[in-house]
Amino acid sequence: MSDTRHILVTSALPYANGPIHLGHLVEYIQTDIWVRFQKTQEHSCYYVCADDAHGTPIMLKAEQEGLHPEALIAKIARAHQADFAGFLIGFDNYYSTHSKENQYFANRIYTRLRDGGHIQRKTIEQSYDPEKQMFLPDRYIRGECPRCGAADQYGDNCETCGATYTPMELKNPKSAVSGATPITKSSEHFFVDLSGLQAMLKDWLNSGAVQEAMVRKLNEWFEAGLMPWDISRDAPYFGFEIPDAPGKYFYVWLDAPIGYMASFKHFCDREGVDFDAYWGMDSTYELYHFIGKDIISFHALFWPAMLHGASFRKPSGIFAHGFLTVGGEKMSKSRGTFITAESYLKHLNPEYLRYYFAAKLGSGVDDIDLNLEDFLLRVNADLVGKVVNIASRCAGFISKNFHGQLAKQLHDAQLFEAFVAAGEPIAEAYAAREYSKAMRDIMALADQANQYIDTHKPWVIAKQSGQEALLQAVCTQGLNLFRVLLGYLQPVLPKMAYAVEAFLQAPLTWRPEPLLGCFISPYQPLMTRIERPQIDAMLADSLPPATRQPAQPQPVAPAPAAQAAVIDYEVFAQVDLRIARIVAAQAVEGADKLLQLTLDIGEANTRNVFAGIKPAYPDPAQLEGRLTLMVANLAPRKMRFGISEGMVLAASAGGSDIFILSPDTGAQPGMRVK
């Protein structure tokens, strides 16, 4: 195709000191769906990744396990790749930062930065373990918080009061490695001087390459001027030695993103792809990084600075995402909700989770929640009850009555054409990473297909003499609609897509012609329902071994609503629900999610309310004049941005999908809702 795009995509490199868990998989599933979608559009799109295999934690973990670091990272690499394969993550290449290619590019970038005047040397003081004879990273020093006195806090911040400080300020510090009291020791370190790259970085950040919410966060780094970035560590350290500094090693965050280049170079050498066409300073090809929002500064400040200073191209875009909670809370080993990929795969189909994440994910950086009750209900209702149901209701009649041959004409060509036309907005949603919108649109089509089958009732037609042609045509129509839907779901459900291609004996495409007069294979079940015991077993398997009780399965985490305290009718009756008209709406400066609303609740009475609905209504003006529900007798709440005098009620499907009332329901401001 003349308009074929050339795209290179990466996900953040998983650290090689532990297993892949469901929180990690948000990113890899999000990326994999996007890459698979691009390939359905016939673009050239490569997806590479690698294990992040250097640093002090890996060195110490290997020592604890009695292994050489290389043996440890090899063991972890095998486990990571098995987990990714289990979740159908389709890397074109998966590699390691502990590679000759990574060392080559780390040295090359460093020497170019040095020769370009971007490297500084200066002596700094650090905490040193006199027993272990090593400098200690901040996270390997524990002590009492200098502000609140909380015990057993890290050397850089307090988890109790949130204070930040230096390890030297910590009271009664101890090395987490040996237990010794650290001493202060001087050492020469190497820094990238970012001051000369500051203007370039600001221009690049404002070019649209980074999400607006992340740009606002990153702008804080520029307020006092970008400080030099420390890129060296002292021996002992597992990593690459700096070429002109024996005993000094590249900090892991220098060579980790270079792993993107190294993995792609390894792929290029194997497949005969032109590496420089993608990474050269003047490249017209596209480069995208999918990452978690917690590592945005490394990817959107330090990484483009390194690339530009070393005469390589900068990313076309960096797509940050939020975190995963389970049942509305952080993942917890003690509650069995710290679920590893391995534990999940023992009990559940990976495509359940791929679909559930897709149904939750948008293009922003909002956190998403895995509520296991909702997970069970949504997968069973959407994938089994809607999508697979279409094929199972039609295929048997074709096989039994027509020896597997489809009709030579569609029963409703216009409906088929409408399904194909719907592919354009669905493609736009995929391309924009608005997967939740794409899933809603696809399920709306599935509802139409099921409605078509319900209307024509092939099971009734089959009992009527002389209606064979109609039966064949109706079932052929249903299977063609099903094929269109699976084409749209192919990026999310690749394994099912392969099975459907075998079943229909035809490829899935984004803009298909109807299958007519051809033969299909006998239908085999494509997906079974999630059963509650499967989730119980997964949760039990995720508990620490000492607390597991296989004979008493853990219950499914309830929906957040089920966790609230029960109230009686008299308490609920005190809630004053009123219709309100939004007379003014504006964004709140400095807030990612809040809008400030002025609400008319009748009798010349207005209220000021802050509502977290900005992701759904980025243009606040569209809300003005609309009606909504509000809790009118809620006590005023003092917020950082002002006083909120009530609460707006809205419906949400998760993420940025937030809905209020329509512009005119016939209701009037001030009406009470009973």
Side-chain angles (χ1 to χ4, degrees):
M1 295 176 61
S2 59
D3 58 349
T4 297
R5 294 161 57 190
H6 296 271
I7 307 168
L8 175 59
V9 180
T10 76
S11 297
L13 312 186
Y15 201 48
N17 71 338
I20 301 299
H21 56 69
L22 299 196
H24 293 131
L25 285 166
V26 171
E27 179 171 310
Y28 301 100
I29 289 173
Q30 181 190 37
T31 314
D32 186 71
I33 290 172
W34 198 79
V35 169
R36 288 181 184 273
F37 163 73
Q38 297 297 343
K39 291 179 178 180
T40 68
Q41 305 303 295
E42 301 182 40
H43 297 308
S44 172
C45 187
Y46 299 126
Y47 180 19
V48 301
C49 197
D51 269 1
D52 182 0
H54 287 157
T56 300
I58 288 173
M59 179 184 72
L60 295 175
K61 184 178 179 67
E63 183 179 308
Q64 291 169 2
E65 295 190 12
L67 297 172
H68 189 279
E70 291 185 349
L72 173 67
I73 63 175
K75 181 180 75 170
I76 295 292
R78 290 190 294 270
H80 283 183
Q81 291 180 62
D83 290 340
F84 288 135
F87 276 92
L88 312 171
I89 308 300
F91 298 117
D92 290 287
N93 195 62
Y94 195 86
Y95 207 36
S96 171
T97 59
H98 192 64
S99 67
K100 62 181 182 181
E101 293 90 346
N102 212 56
Q103 186 167 27
Y104 168 78
F105 283 112
N107 289 347
R108 189 175 183 187
I109 287 174
Y110 167 76
T111 54
R112 285 185 175 182
L113 289 170
R114 180 197 63 196
D115 296 345
H118 298 296
I119 298 295
Q120 296 179 348
R121 297 188 182 199
K122 60 180 179 179
T123 298
I124 63 172
E125 290 188 337
Q126 294 176 275
S127 295
Y128 185 82
D129 186 326
E131 290 188 15
K132 201 66 178 170
Q133 295 189 1
M134 62 178 289
F135 286 97
L136 293 169
D138 295 348
R139 304 295 279 183
Y140 282 86
I141 306 168
R142 309 284 291 195
E144 298 169 12
C145 172
R147 177 178 294 176
C148 73
D152 198 30
Q153 298 302 310
Y154 289 116
D156 54 359
N157 75 284
C158 177
E159 293 185 329
T160 300
C161 72
T164 58
Y165 40 75
T166 68
M168 290 74 169
E169 296 175 282
L170 203 64
K171 295 178 180 178
N172 300 315
K174 298 291 182 184
S175 166
V177 181
S178 70
T181 300
I183 63 173
T184 300
K185 190 172 181 179
S186 298
S187 175
E188 183 180 55
H189 273 232
F190 292 67
F191 295 79
V192 175
D193 181 9
L194 297 173
S195 61
L197 300 166
Q198 181 163 313
M200 176 277 297
L201 287 171
K202 291 203 76 169
D203 289 343
W204 178 76
L205 283 174
N206 292 318
S207 70
V210 180
Q211 293 134 302
E212 183 181 344
M214 293 291 94
V215 172
R216 290 197 297 271
K217 179 178 178 64
L218 291 165
N219 278 335
E220 296 172 5
W221 288 73
F222 294 94
E223 292 176 1
L226 292 179
M227 303 297 292
W229 177 43
D230 191 345
I231 61 166
S232 66
R233 294 295 184 267
D234 292 279
Y237 192 82
F238 182 59
F240 295 138
E241 199 168 32
I242 297 176
D244 57 357
K248 303 288 184 180
Y249 290 79
F250 288 126
Y251 173 41
V252 63
W253 265 111
L254 180 127
D255 69 56
I258 294 172
Y260 304 142
M261 303 174 77
S263 184
F264 188 59
K265 176 62 174 172
H266 185 257
F267 170 79
C268 291
D269 290 346
R270 185 181 74 230
E271 302 295 331
V273 175
D274 184 356
F275 176 88
D276 291 332
Y278 287 83
W279 286 98
M281 180 67 97
D282 298 322
S283 173
T284 58
Y285 291 177
E286 299 170 60
L287 169 63
Y288 299 103
H289 301 309
F290 285 74
I291 63 164
K293 61 184 178 182
D294 55 326
I295 55 174
I296 188 67
S297 59
F298 292 104
H299 282 81
L301 292 179
F302 305 144
W303 176 230
M306 288 164 52
L307 290 170
H308 184 83
S311 298
F312 288 106
R313 59 89 46 83
K314 296 183 288 296
S316 308
I318 295 177
F319 304 139
H321 61 81
F323 302 134
L324 178 72
T325 56
V326 179
E329 299 179 350
K330 289 183 178 180
M331 292 188 294
S332 165
K333 291 183 179 179
S334 64
R335 292 193 300 271
T337 57
F338 187 91
I339 304 167
T340 65
E342 182 182 23
S343 293
Y344 178 101
L345 291 169
K346 287 179 183 178
H347 305 285
L348 292 164
N349 183 335
E351 292 191 308
Y352 296 156
L353 191 69
R354 289 178 65 99
Y355 174 74
Y356 189 75
F357 281 173
K360 291 267 189 172
L361 280 165
S363 61
V365 295
D366 294 329
D367 297 344
I368 67 170
D369 184 55
L370 170 59
N371 181 279
L372 292 169
E373 182 69 19
D374 179 52
F375 169 69
L376 180 150
L377 294 173
R378 183 175 297 202
V379 169
N380 287 349
D382 289 359
L383 296 185
V384 181
K386 292 183 181 180
V387 177
V388 170
N389 193 44
I390 299 167
S392 65
R393 298 170 89 187
C394 297
F397 295 112
I398 295 294
S399 296
K400 180 180 178 180
N401 298 64
F402 308 103
H403 307 290
Q405 186 174 23
L406 298 175
K408 295 182 179 179
Q409 283 187 312
L410 287 173
H411 183 250
D412 188 339
Q414 187 174 0
L415 179 60
F416 177 81
E417 290 168 3
F419 269 51
V420 174
E424 184 173 344
I426 291 171
E428 291 174 355
Y430 269 119
R433 307 182 316 287
E434 294 291 353
Y435 302 159
S436 61
K437 181 182 186 306
M439 296 307 104
R440 288 198 304 275
D441 290 350
I442 293 168
M443 290 307 142
L445 293 176
D447 286 336
Q448 290 183 46
N450 279 294
Q451 185 178 10
Y452 168 85
I453 296 169
D454 289 339
T455 298
H456 294 284
K457 299 178 174 57
W459 53 91
V460 174
I461 299 173
K463 297 176 182 178
Q464 298 172 348
S465 177
Q467 295 296 313
E468 290 81 5
L470 178 60
L471 175 64
Q472 188 181 27
V474 168
C475 292
T476 296
Q477 178 82 28
L479 290 174
N480 271 280
L481 298 180
F482 171 74
R483 179 175 176 239
V484 176
L485 293 177
L486 261 293
Y488 297 154
L489 284 168
Q490 187 175 5
V492 179
L493 308 174
K495 187 176 180 180
M496 186 189 288
Y498 297 144
V500 169
E501 288 180 330
F503 158 52
L504 296 177
Q505 299 186 32
L508 297 174
T509 63
W510 203 265
R511 304 165 188 86
E513 295 295 326
L515 294 178
L516 299 171
C518 53
F519 290 86
I520 65 172
S521 299
Y523 176 77
Q524 300 292 330
L526 294 167
M527 180 175 282
T528 58
R529 294 170 57 84
I530 302 175
E531 300 296 341
R532 194 174 299 270
Q534 294 172 275
I535 295 178
D536 292 339
M538 177 187 69
L539 292 175
D541 194 45
S542 300
L543 287 165
T547 63
R548 292 178 190 171
Q549 299 178 13
Q552 298 179 0
Q554 297 296 310
V556 174
Q563 297 171 344
V566 175
I567 61 174
D568 58 26
Y569 180 82
E570 286 73 22
V571 173
F572 178 74
Q574 296 176 35
V575 178
D576 184 4
L577 291 178
R578 296 203 191 185
I579 301 293
R581 188 178 301 279
I582 302 171
V583 296
Q586 62 184 14
V588 177
E589 186 176 351
D592 293 337
K593 299 180 182 180
L594 289 181
L595 293 181
Q596 183 175 5
L597 307 178
T598 301
L599 303 178
D600 174 10
I601 61 171
E603 300 177 353
N605 188 356
T606 61
R607 298 284 184 88
N608 179 72
V609 172
F610 292 95
I613 59 174
K614 184 179 178 183
Y617 300 100
D619 178 12
Q622 66 180 291
L623 289 170
E624 294 179 359
R626 300 184 69 171
L627 298 176
T628 186
L629 279 174
M630 75 167 295
V631 180
N633 62 337
L634 191 68
R637 179 186 176 195
K638 185 176 181 181
M639 303 179 69
R640 181 158 63 97
F641 307 99
I643 302 295
S644 186
E645 301 172 301
M647 176 183 291
V648 167
L649 302 187
S652 173
S656 62
D657 305 318
I658 304 167
F659 309 98
I660 63 172
L661 293 183
S662 60
D664 191 358
T665 63
Q668 294 297 320
M671 278 187 179
R672 284 188 169 86
V673 179
K674 298 182 178 180

